[in-house]
Amino acid sequence: QQQVKQSPQSLIVQKGGISIINCAYENTAFDYFPWYQQFPGKGPALLIAIRPDVSEKKEGRFTISFNKSAKQFSLHIMDSQPGDSATYFCAAKIQGAQKLVFGQGTRLTINP
Amino acid sequence: SAVISQKPSRDICQRGTSLTIQCQVDSQVTMMFWYRQQPGQSLTLIATANQGSEATYESGFVIDKFPISRPNLTFSTLTVSNMSPEDSSIYLCSVVGAEGAFFGQGTRLTVV
């Protein structure tokens, strides 16, 4: 119940295309869902986050879609660029706690 | 967002030895978190470090193997003790702020 399942494991998208990464969870006590971007040799960087009281949040080319009833959320990267090539992690936080549970990660490659 | 500095950034250690990783934050925080990221894998929480009290360890991690110190509200150390090649990982320090959880750049540990 503490798990967050992420897919796909790897993704190749052409430059200018839309990258979509999906996550699913079981624990309804999760109340915060961030996405992290990690480049090789670097720590994860907070990209965008959402709380379950909204269905969508957009920041620039990055959008989180959240489906509370299905217990799913996804990251959409519009107009994907080679600089977006990185590993992306979804995560979730239990209400009242601060620690995060991470998905398995998606290695995204944007072909020029 | 918090600025988190970790030292060392990388190290190669002999099996059976110990390595202490330092984490310095530019602001006072109640909790600091230590994660492990095994090669090509996701992040797994090792323990939560509170100032003035014993660290709280997650299932599968024990204090004898990963002792943690938290002498003040801006600093923590994680020691990886009696290392084996299976301890080769990236170790990450994290803090939570108003905008979310932030990570240091990590310490890449190789045990030979």
Side-chain angles (χ1 to χ4, degrees):
Chain A
Q1 255 209 336
Q2 294 282 58
Q3 288 185 335
V4 178
K5 295 183 179 180
Q6 183 173 345
S7 63
Q9 187 174 354
S10 63
L11 180 62
I12 299 174
V13 175
Q14 291 300 117
K15 178 182 175 183
I18 303 173
S19 304
I20 302 174
I21 305 171
N22 301 298
C23 284
Y25 65 96
E26 289 295 325
N27 193 339
T28 56
F30 287 143
D31 70 345
Y32 173 74
F33 302 89
W35 284 90
Y36 285 85
Q37 179 188 58
Q38 186 178 30
F39 292 105
K42 303 291 186 182
L46 179 61
L47 195 58
I48 186 172
I50 197 168
R51 296 197 180 272
D53 53 347
V54 297
S55 61
E56 184 176 283
K57 182 174 182 180
K58 183 176 181 179
E59 290 184 2
R61 296 186 294 111
F62 301 92
T63 300
I64 299 179
S65 296
F66 188 84
N67 186 329
K68 189 174 181 178
S69 61
K71 297 181 198 171
Q72 296 175 348
F73 58 109
S74 59
L75 176 69
H76 297 234
I77 306 175
M78 311 300 288
D79 187 26
S80 299
Q81 299 296 312
D84 297 329
S85 296
T87 300
Y88 292 80
F89 294 95
C90 63
K93 183 189 76 67
I94 290 179
Q95 185 176 13
Q98 290 193 352
K99 62 184 181 182
L100 295 173
V101 176
F102 282 84
Q104 295 84 351
T106 297
R107 179 171 289 189
L108 174 64
T109 302
I110 307 300
N111 284 334
Chain B
S1 63
V3 176
I4 303 170
S5 301
Q6 273 187 245
K7 284 195 287 188
S9 58
R10 60 176 60 227
D11 207 342
I12 301 173
C13 300
Q14 296 291 324
R15 68 177 67 199
T17 63
S18 298
L19 175 72
T20 295
I21 302 167
Q22 299 179 5
C23 179
Q24 179 76 51
V25 188
D26 68 342
S27 58
Q28 294 184 340
V29 292
T30 305
M31 295 184 190
M32 295 176 76
F33 302 88
W34 287 98
Y35 288 83
R36 181 177 72 182
Q37 187 175 24
Q38 294 177 301
Q41 302 297 313
S42 185
L43 286 78
T44 301
L45 181 65
I46 298 171
T48 303
N50 295 308
Q51 196 271 330
S53 64
E54 291 242 343
T56 303
Y57 289 83
E58 298 297 307
S59 176
F61 297 96
V62 295
I63 188 171
D64 289 347
K65 177 67 175 178
F66 298 101
I68 288 172
S69 78
R70 184 77 201 275
N72 58 54
L73 290 173
T74 64
F75 186 79
S76 178
T77 67
L78 170 76
T79 299
V80 186
S81 302
N82 187 26
M83 288 183 285
S84 66
E86 292 70 35
D87 294 320
S88 298
S89 293
I90 299 171
Y91 292 86
L92 294 149
C93 173
S94 173
V95 300
V96 175
E99 298 169 4
F102 301 94
F103 289 83
Q105 80 280 11
T107 296
R108 182 179 293 270
L109 171 61
T110 302
V111 183
V112 297

